[in-house]
Amino acid sequence: MENVAVVGYGLSKFGERWEAGLKELVSEAAVAAINNAGIESKEIQSLFTGSMSSGRFANQEHLGALVADQLGLIPIPSVRVEAACASGGVAVRQAYIALASGAYDLALVVGVEKMTDVHVGHATTTLGTAGDYEWEVFHGATFPALYAMMARRHIHDFGTTEEQMALVSVKNHSNGSKNKFAQFQNLITVDAVLNSSVVASPLKLLDCSPITDGAAAIVLASEDLAKKLTDAPVWIAGSAQASDTLALHDRESLTSLKATRVAAEDAYKQANVTPGEIKLAEVHDCFSIAEILAIEDLGFFKKGVGGKSIEEGETQLNSKVSINTSGGLKACGHPVGATGVKQIVELTMQLRDEAGNRQVSNADIGLAHNVGGSGATAVVHILRR
Ligand code: COA
């Protein structure tokens, strides 16, 4: 297997981008990544685009060829990768595998979703198609409801509190306030979270990630080329993915995502590191409870003590493990197909000491965790400077 590094990154502004279409979002992020890598677009040999549901959100399918056309990359091979909210992370992994196998030396990965042009009811149902439609969504169990059930069980089994969940959102808004690309850059308080409107009890508006337009892009290169292109390659030390049942009722547990645990174990083994060595992680906080599940399932904290660890400040910027320095899905926003790529962008900025006032000191190893649906897909990447 060839070693593979991230050599360039770019983002569009995340948010309600009513003035920009899907193609403009792609261009914003991809052109920034190509410029950041210092390459010419004609050097790119292969293109991977993560997008969950461009057909339902933006009436546009066939994104592989569309993105190649938009970026002037015709006729290189180009594919769209779909794995619900993990589409971006899985696109990164597919590109990594293509380069590690020696098939290509230089690839561009784009993640994109244009979600706000449809009514929120349509957006919620579209997101729900990532669950088991027959057993869950048809009966009204949309994603906030599914994660609310996980939260209820975590509260029941471990005594996790709604205040602890609220602290996840407070921290992520604080990190997002330092990120000019984030959808929300305002600070919030625990009281504001607790008093925001109930979406699916115990989850309130400010426990939820928003509906977002946005795109992210990275340039990946094989070892020899990466060393020629940059003095600061960020190496992919581990790349792993696992699957689970779509329907919650078929799972072994409501308080742990097995796909996350399996993917993390594999990624740690590949990178030859332990969870304790990870300095920062971008984890999939689609709802506040999801961040608590993630930091436990990734092995940063024991099962059941995630909420307490957050209360004790152990996931703040420059604490034991800095979690979601970008603002996470909660504050940076969650354009579903872009999220997994944005996580790699954030880690790359951090590992190159380019994260400005949210820089983690001595950042040398970071982890990205991207989940599809309520946990049926999980992809974990470990990056090293
Ligand atoms: N966090 C903070 N503020 C939010 C927000 C969020 N998650 N969602 C919306 N807002 C704000 C809006 O900016 C708006 O503010 P304004 O009045 O100052 O402009 C206000 O709340 C109302 O926004 P609106 O778009 O009408 O909200 P909504 O009620 O239609 O949607 C949710 C809110 C929570 C239902 C929606 O964001 C949602 O479904 N989130 C979950 C997405 C999801 O499931 N993703 C996949 C996860 S697996």
Side-chain angles (χ1 to χ4, degrees):
M1 296 272 274
E2 289 272 341
N3 287 324
V4 176
V6 185
V7 296
Y9 60 81
L11 289 174
S12 78
K13 171 83 177 73
F14 280 20
E16 292 184 359
R17 296 288 311 274
W18 290 327
E19 84 294 357
L22 186 134
K23 292 183 199 173
E24 281 88 10
L25 295 174
V26 165
S27 291
E28 264 183 59
V31 170
I34 290 166
N35 289 340
N36 183 265
I39 56 165
E40 293 202 35
S41 50
K42 63 174 187 245
E43 296 174 72
I44 297 167
Q45 299 163 340
S46 191
L47 174 57
F48 297 80
T49 297
S51 176
M52 174 185 165
S53 198
S54 57
R56 288 184 59 113
F57 283 124
N59 293 315
Q60 182 67 65
E61 302 288 15
H62 208 171
L63 279 204
L66 180 102
V67 172
D69 184 12
Q70 172 68 9
L71 297 176
L73 295 179
I74 286 174
I76 66 167
S78 180
V79 289
R80 177 252 189 99
V81 177
E82 187 274 312
C85 308
S87 299
V90 176
V92 171
R93 184 170 148 73
Q94 291 303 311
Y96 164 77
I97 291 168
L99 267 65
S101 75
Y104 305 107
D105 291 317
L106 196 65
L108 176 69
V109 187
V110 176
V112 64
E113 214 76 56
K114 172 77 186 146
M115 301 170 73
T116 70
D117 283 352
V118 296
H119 184 267
V120 72
H122 182 84
T124 306
T125 312
T126 298
L127 290 166
T129 60
D132 187 313
Y133 195 82
E134 199 178 339
W135 285 101
E136 294 175 333
V137 189
F138 180 79
H139 303 280
T142 56
F143 274 99
L146 296 172
Y147 276 92
M149 286 193 262
M150 298 189 216
R152 278 268 166 251
R153 191 71 212 189
H154 210 276
I155 289 168
H156 176 271
D157 287 359
F158 306 115
T160 300
T161 66
E162 293 184 37
E163 286 78 4
Q164 290 169 344
M165 285 159 44
L167 282 166
V168 171
S169 300
V170 171
K171 168 184 65 67
N172 290 348
H173 271 250
S174 170
N175 291 344
S177 74
K178 300 180 171 75
N179 182 357
K180 65 178 182 181
F181 292 96
Q183 179 165 3
F184 297 120
Q185 297 175 31
N186 60 313
L187 298 175
I188 57 170
T189 61
V190 169
D191 278 350
V193 182
L194 296 177
N195 293 319
S196 58
S197 25
V198 174
V199 174
S201 177
L203 300 178
K204 292 152 291 276
L205 178 73
L206 295 178
D207 286 295
C208 303
S209 61
I211 308 285
T212 310
D213 303 327
I218 55 169
V219 178
L220 291 182
S222 57
E223 181 164 1
D224 287 350
L225 185 56
K227 285 179 176 164
K228 275 187 212 142
L229 288 172
T230 174
D231 293 336
V234 171
W235 301 103
I236 299 186
S239 173
Q241 185 185 337
S243 314
D244 201 351
T245 65
L246 263 70
L248 275 191
H249 65 247
D250 286 328
R251 302 260 176 92
E252 285 168 15
S253 165
L254 278 185
T255 56
S256 172
L257 300 189
K258 186 177 181 183
T260 295
R261 285 188 278 115
V262 172
E265 197 180 325
D266 188 3
Y268 287 132
K269 205 177 289 170
Q270 290 175 35
N272 196 22
V273 295
T274 60
E277 291 173 80
I278 305 290
K279 294 268 176 37
L280 73 150
E282 287 288 301
V283 310
H284 198 93
D285 60 317
C286 50
F287 300 95
S288 54
I289 185 64
E291 181 165 316
I292 294 176
L293 298 185
I295 60 174
E296 295 171 350
D297 291 335
L298 293 166
F300 301 141
F301 302 98
K302 285 209 180 78
K303 184 51 65 187
V305 304
K308 198 160 190 312
S309 311
I310 286 158
E311 198 168 38
E312 289 169 356
E314 298 199 87
T315 59
Q316 304 267 10
L317 199 56
N318 282 312
S319 61
K320 180 179 177 222
V321 52
S322 302
I323 300 287
N324 282 330
T325 56
S326 69
L329 284 57
K330 172 67 202 78
C332 192
H334 185 25
V336 282
T339 287
V341 185
K342 180 222 75 180
Q343 294 178 325
I344 303 294
V345 170
E346 176 68 13
L347 293 187
T348 305
M349 289 174 83
Q350 291 282 355
L351 295 172
R352 283 188 182 181
D353 280 336
E354 292 172 1
N357 61 352
R358 63 178 193 283
Q359 181 63 48
V360 173
S361 41
N362 304 319
D364 55 357
I365 307 178
L367 180 148
H369 163 251
N370 190 197
V371 170
S374 63
T377 298
V379 55
V380 174
H381 283 103
I382 296 176
L383 271 59
R384 212 193 263 280
R385 73 192 312 169

